Amino acid sequence: MNRESLVFCTIALVVALAVCAVGFQFAALPRDAIGAARQPVAVETLPDVDLGGGFGKVSVIDLVAYYMENPPEKTDAAVGHAAAAAKRFGGC
């Protein structure tokens, strides 16, 4: 490996690290937001969630109640997706 290649790689690595360090400052959440995210809030204080698609706004309490009454299907741990739906008719 010649000297020019080594200098180029070193400078490129230093510039890339500097760009990452500066970019992180812009991408990171403020400390206030991080502290607020660690504090639990009461469900009653959360705003309604707009589900879209004609469903409208639903309260978080209703969403949690629906989830508890209708839990998601079990997933196959090896594959990572839900089991295939049962075939109800032959069709074309």
Side-chain angles (χ1 to χ4, degrees):
M1 182 178 240
N2 59 11
R3 182 179 173 155
E4 292 173 350
S5 297
L6 186 61
V7 169
F8 173 77
C9 290
T10 304
I11 291 174
L13 184 61
V14 169
V15 169
L17 289 174
V19 168
C20 288
V22 171
F24 179 78
Q25 299 300 323
F26 292 109
L29 287 173
R31 291 194 185 273
D32 301 350
I34 294 172
R38 292 183 181 175
Q39 300 277 336
V41 290
V43 175
E44 295 82 17
T45 62
L46 295 173
D48 291 346
V49 178
D50 186 11
L51 297 179
F55 292 106
K57 291 188 175 187
V58 179
S59 70
V60 175
I61 293 175
D62 291 338
L63 285 175
V64 172
Y66 180 81
Y67 178 81
M68 290 174 66
E69 292 171 4
N70 305 299
E73 294 181 14
K74 301 282 186 203
T75 59
D76 186 5
V79 180
H81 57 76
K87 189 173 182 182
R88 299 192 198 289
F89 59 90
C92 297

